[in-house]
Amino acid sequence: MNGFPQSTSTEADQIESPHSKKPQQLAVRYDGPAKVTGQAKYSYEFSKPGVVYGYMMTSTIPSGSISAMDTSAATKLPGVLTILTPFNAPKLPVPKPNPPASRHANVLQDADVYYSNQPIGVVVAETLEQARYAASLVKVSYAPTPAKMNFEKRLSDARPPKKGKDYYDKTRGDINKAVADAAVKVDVTYTTPIQHHNPMEPHATLAWWEGDKLNVYDSTQYISGDRQTLAKTLGIPVDDVHVECPYTGGGFGSKGSTWSHVILTAMAAKVVGKTVKLALERRQMFGPVGARPRTVQHLQLAATKEGKLLGIRHNNICHVSVMEDFVEFSGNATRMLYSSDANETSHNVVEMNLGNGTYMRAPGEASGTVGLECALDELAHQLKIDPVQLRLANYAEKDPESDLPFSSKHLKECYRQAGDRFGWSKRNPTPGQQREGKQLIGFGMATATYPANRSSAEATVRLMPNGRVFVGSGTQELGTGMYTIMAQTAADGFRMDPKLVDVKLGDSTLPKAPVSGGSQSAASVCPAITDACGQVMVKLMDMAAADAHSPLHGMKPAEMEFRDGRLQARSGGQGETLQALLARNGGQPVEAKGMAEKGQDAKQMAAHSFGAVFAEVAVDVDTHMVQVRRVVATYDIGTLMNKKTGTNQLMGGVVWGISTALEEDTHLDNNFGRFVNMNLAEYHVPVNRDIGSIDITALNIPDTKFNPLGARGIGEIGITGVAAAIGNAIFNATGKRIREYPITVDKLLLS
Ligand code: MOS
């Protein structure tokens, strides 16, 4: 990683915030030049002499076992090196790998089939074409068993998750009484579909062994999780596994776990004694690497005539695989978003012969805000109260679930600011009244929310003799801006130009950082960088004070300051460059390892981000096509670390919300137990033509109770609330309330 080309301008792009010192804002992404010039390398693009190619075979039945795999014709093909099957694969120390950092992996230790498209073998050949062709010649015989399909018909099979009702369900107050006594009630069921992540870069792994040591390039959100899981699964010491991933081409949660193909690639590399690279085909992204579970959400709202909520009930059912329970926590936000004395949230699961569910951008909140925020809109309509007013009438000043104060909450300002920017006051509350030619126009809104997470993290900061600063942490760059804010944070520490900072991440030899999931990387890693910078600066000040040749000789730290690559006196300004100081003192780098933990008072407050989302839709009266013309959203996410990368993430989240509202759905053939749209032609996601104007603002009010930077994380909140705001806008436009997401033309036509 070369960092910024020296010619790149990084003109300041400061954001006004009256509240505190602002972080330096880099107008150019640290990794931008490398990406646009093609120098940034993704896992599959690395190579080693003699590299060979793996191709993963997957099952074509959803349930049963493999009785035989005839590889005779495939093995005879030129270039084929090995074909691993459940009948010849090396035995692993853990027969059903499911280590803590991992998931139930399908790594050829048994012949069981739990879902269609499950990994059942790996062909390794000298070229990818040879491997893929060989795989097509392998004859697989199955002994099928009846598959658990037809989710909708099997809702009565729903059971509590294996982790237990206590973990997933919560009740406060008397919800039955609240519902019985309420003057106004809403009783509705919303559903959300199975979604698959489909980052542009598919999952890909490149593995080679040096003796007993394993090296891996893997497209991942969690290098140290990969490392732990590979070590545990393969039965080797953690120190013998080295994982690298300088860039991840999107992950969205699917790359937060170590799935089967990572382990299979390492196994294949061992068997053939060569470097093996393996990428999933697009169709293999549908099952083997997780999905957002389908949900059925039953909601009951009980309110007074004035719109005060007396009770909220949110009972959720989601699908899980037969291998493990991954629960879409769709009732989570319902507990804390509005004040109401009675509150019940529950989560039950229906087993299906499908791949595992997993984390997908705002797992829980993305789905749960669909049900909750649409149900509130239905209540507002019944009450003839403005939807924003209804939310203000039930505004939670403290966390209603824990009764703890929020670390910082400015949701009212979000409603006001986004509402003003949108022009909400022009909304006609009566559906179907606003028309432009053949377009019915509708306005809708919803609340966005996501918890603020933080984990312990470490970082190394090193002042080099040439005056540049190196900062390293074993975190990941998913396209989020991690390189950029790491450079900014180190530069802020030394009050120097970020162009003088070199960043390294995505290497398991670096100090440990958490999974890039749960929107926690900025909030976890940057404080560790600040800590390391502080330690290095203390060492440098001590060095100067002790150095008789330094202009700062004999000064106390409080009398010195760092500025523009110099250490100087606060008063008078005499001082020297950091290069000069180091040159006289051994000419070696000065480094420190910084650490950051969750704040001491994490248990004394509730930390969440919030936002308000407003949407305008146009619905064609003949075709029922929906165009989302505008989304205006304002977020309270604490400090906005970088305007470009932060706004970009929020905008990406909003685009995914539009996708959730109108397009994305994985269609399951219940007879064959397989998805029928396992490609980007038929798995619809928005293209540019589908996206209108998106206006994103952040309040940028630092939450310094949460961490010293005041940043709460930004990766996931952008998707939340958006699909509800759009559904509510469609109702306002048409008077049609579609409760089965996504809201496609057929549903609007038939309702
Ligand atoms: Mo995120 S779904 O926690 O990677």
Side-chain angles (χ1 to χ4, degrees):
M1 188 69 220
N2 300 319
F4 298 105
Q6 295 303 304
S7 59
T8 302
S9 151
T10 55
E11 68 188 277
D13 181 14
Q14 298 283 10
I15 296 162
E16 288 311 312
S17 167
H19 299 274
S20 83
K21 168 170 111 61
K22 295 162 276 192
Q24 291 197 53
Q25 293 284 324
L26 295 181
V28 175
R29 279 176 187 265
Y30 181 93
D31 47 332
K35 281 182 175 169
V36 297
T37 57
Q39 289 168 49
K41 271 191 176 178
Y42 293 80
S43 295
Y44 200 76
E45 298 177 310
F46 287 92
S47 199
K48 298 280 290 176
V51 67
V52 294
Y53 295 80
Y55 181 84
M56 194 169 83
M57 290 183 282
T58 61
S59 66
T60 54
I61 66 159
S63 177
S65 60
I66 302 166
S67 38
M69 283 171 81
D70 178 0
T71 57
S72 53
T75 311
K76 288 193 204 102
L77 288 176
V80 173
L81 299 170
T82 192
I83 302 176
L84 297 182
T85 71
F87 306 101
N88 68 359
K91 288 296 159 209
L92 299 178
V94 189
K96 275 202 195 294
N98 192 17
S102 178
R103 313 300 301 275
H104 185 116
N106 306 104
V107 287
L108 315 181
Q109 301 302 293
D110 56 53
D112 297 339
V113 176
Y114 301 103
Y115 65 99
S116 184
N117 217 15
Q118 173 193 307
I120 56 166
V122 178
V123 181
V124 183
E126 278 161 15
T127 70
L128 174 61
E129 292 74 15
Q130 288 167 338
R132 189 165 54 200
Y133 179 55
S136 75
L137 299 187
V138 176
K139 293 196 191 77
V140 185
S141 310
Y142 295 101
T145 53
K148 293 178 174 171
M149 288 289 140
N150 293 301
F151 177 80
E152 290 76 11
K153 291 184 187 153
R154 293 176 44 245
L155 292 176
S156 55
D157 292 354
R159 59 163 173 81
K162 285 171 195 154
K163 244 183 183 167
K165 286 191 78 62
D166 290 350
Y167 186 84
Y168 285 106
D169 299 353
K170 276 222 169 89
T171 305
R172 64 173 189 260
D174 189 341
I175 183 70
N176 288 327
K177 185 169 183 320
V179 171
D181 294 353
V184 186
K185 286 169 227 185
V186 166
D187 187 332
V188 287
T189 299
Y190 279 83
T191 66
T192 60
I194 300 174
Q195 294 183 331
H196 286 88
H197 311 68
N198 281 299
M200 286 300 288
E201 182 206 19
H203 294 241
T205 308
L206 183 149
W208 74 98
W209 293 79
E210 288 166 13
D212 292 335
K213 293 194 196 306
L214 172 64
N215 298 282
V216 166
Y217 282 101
D218 186 39
S219 181
T220 178
Q221 294 172 233
Y222 194 15
I223 50 172
S224 56
D226 253 10
R227 189 174 185 230
Q228 294 282 345
T229 303
L230 281 164
K232 185 155 185 177
T233 313
L234 301 170
I236 57 177
V238 171
D239 287 347
D240 285 356
V241 183
H242 181 201
V243 180
E244 288 177 88
C245 179
Y247 301 97
T248 303
F252 313 113
S254 70
K255 293 174 183 168
S257 305
T258 304
W259 299 104
S260 313
H261 66 278
V262 183
I263 301 160
L264 289 173
T265 307
M267 286 165 67
K270 184 95 182 174
V271 168
V272 299
K274 290 172 187 285
T275 302
V276 175
K277 61 161 88 172
L278 184 151
L280 300 198
E281 293 185 315
R282 187 54 63 178
R283 59 178 287 117
Q284 295 178 338
M285 303 285 285
F286 291 79
V289 288
R292 191 195 295 285
R294 173 149 175 62
T295 71
V296 172
Q297 308 176 28
H298 178 218
L299 290 114
Q300 288 182 312
L301 304 182
T304 66
K305 284 205 284 285
E306 294 72 38
K308 178 76 199 79
L309 281 168
L310 302 171
I312 308 174
R313 173 177 263 147
H314 194 172
N315 300 141
N316 299 276
I317 300 176
C318 76
H319 94 271
V320 293
S321 77
V322 298
M323 297 170 282
E324 65 175 40
D325 283 6
F326 175 88
V327 178
E328 179 76 4
F329 219 142
S330 35
N332 208 18
T334 304
R335 297 169 183 174
M336 50 60 67
L337 200 46
Y338 300 105
S339 125
S340 78
D341 288 341
N343 190 292
E344 176 189 284
T345 50
S346 71
H347 300 81
N348 285 293
V349 301
V350 172
E351 283 185 19
M352 293 187 77
N353 282 98
L354 295 176
N356 285 320
T358 197
Y359 318 95
M360 185 189 281
R361 203 172 200 167
E365 286 77 9
S367 309
T369 53
V370 169
L372 177 64
E373 291 296 307
C374 287
L376 273 171
D377 200 69
E378 299 206 41
L379 181 64
H381 182 70
Q382 266 196 51
L383 287 163
K384 296 192 166 43
I385 292 179
D386 180 86
V388 175
Q389 292 309 317
L390 177 65
R391 285 160 176 86
L392 291 174
N394 295 287
Y395 195 82
E397 298 288 355
K398 291 171 91 180
D399 174 12
E401 179 57 33
S402 63
D403 209 33
L404 294 171
F406 288 109
S407 55
S408 166
K409 177 178 179 179
H410 302 275
L411 175 55
K412 279 182 187 164
E413 273 177 79
C414 296
Y415 291 132
R416 188 190 49 71
Q417 182 169 316
D420 287 352
R421 292 175 79 92
F422 181 82
W424 181 250
S425 60
K426 298 193 198 78
R427 174 180 182 264
N428 186 332
T430 309
Q433 298 302 301
Q434 214 180 329
R435 193 162 168 153
E436 290 175 15
K438 283 168 60 172
Q439 305 286 309
L440 288 167
I441 312 302
F443 289 2
M445 62 80 57
T447 308
T449 190
Y450 192 75
N453 296 311
R454 246 190 110 179
S455 301
S456 57
E458 300 173 351
T460 290
V461 168
R462 192 178 297 143
L463 176 70
M464 305 304 288
N466 64 6
R468 295 185 70 82
V469 168
F470 168 87
V471 54
S473 178
T475 181
Q476 300 77 209
E477 169 66 63
L478 322 184
T480 45
M482 204 58 206
Y483 278 114
T484 308
I485 61 167
M486 284 173 73
Q488 273 182 207
T489 305
D492 274 342
F494 289 94
R495 293 170 81 186
M496 63 162 52
D497 186 339
K499 276 190 282 189
L500 295 173
V501 180
D502 297 305
V503 183
K504 188 168 165 72
L505 53 71
D507 187 321
S508 63
T509 57
L510 291 164
K512 206 170 158 184
V515 59
S516 292
S519 301
Q520 67 176 335
S521 289
S524 305
V525 175
C526 291
I529 295 172
T530 304
D531 180 54
C533 287
Q535 293 181 48
V536 172
M537 291 191 294
V538 167
K539 288 186 193 184
L540 293 169
M541 289 188 288
D542 289 349
M543 191 183 274
D547 181 352
H549 297 288
S550 172
L552 303 162
H553 178 64
M555 281 192 185
K556 294 191 177 67
E559 297 166 334
M560 298 183 227
E561 66 175 5
F562 288 81
R563 189 175 285 278
D564 300 330
R566 291 167 56 82
L567 181 56
Q568 59 189 36
R570 276 181 197 276
S571 64
Q574 83 274 19
E576 61 180 330
T577 64
L578 299 175
Q579 290 105 297
L581 175 63
L582 288 198
R584 275 199 323 278
N585 286 275
Q588 294 301 309
V590 174
E591 75 165 62
K593 186 152 122 176
M595 283 192 241
E597 304 281 344
K598 276 189 181 187
Q600 293 283 322
D601 45 1
K603 289 215 165 67
Q604 275 110 60
M605 62 193 181
H608 294 263
S609 283
F610 296 96
V613 188
F614 293 78
E616 175 183 332
V617 300
V619 186
D620 188 286
V621 292
D622 293 329
T623 65
H624 296 84
M625 292 275 287
V626 179
Q627 179 76 31
V628 179
R629 289 179 162 184
R630 296 189 293 140
V631 174
V632 176
T634 300
Y635 296 96
D636 172 24
I637 39 79
T639 304
L640 180 61
M641 295 289 291
N642 182 280
K643 187 177 181 184
K644 175 181 271 186
T645 62
T647 306
N648 196 248
Q649 282 191 73
L650 292 166
M651 194 179 284
V654 169
V655 170
W656 206 339
I658 294 171
S659 186
T660 300
L662 302 180
E663 305 194 28
E664 228 174 310
D665 194 352
T666 326
H667 296 278
L668 177 62
D669 180 332
N670 283 295
N671 295 316
F672 291 100
R674 82 176 72 121
F675 298 122
V676 296
N677 56 340
M678 298 192 284
N679 55 69
L680 291 183
E682 294 162 301
Y683 184 82
H684 287 178
V685 295
V687 295
N688 268 320
R689 180 68 184 79
D690 297 318
I691 302 301
S693 145
I694 300 178
D695 174 288
I696 302 284
T697 47
L699 297 180
N700 200 15
I701 302 171
D703 182 354
T704 46
K705 283 189 188 150
F706 178 63
N707 76 14
L709 297 161
R712 276 199 301 259
I714 205 167
E716 295 173 270
I717 188 172
I719 190 175
T720 70
V722 178
I726 292 167
N728 297 340
I730 291 172
F731 176 74
N732 182 243
T734 64
K736 294 182 180 187
R737 181 60 76 175
I738 308 299
R739 301 189 183 93
E740 186 187 339
Y741 273 66
I743 305 172
T744 46
V745 167
D746 52 318
K747 293 171 195 168
L748 281 167
L749 189 64
L750 295 173
S751 70

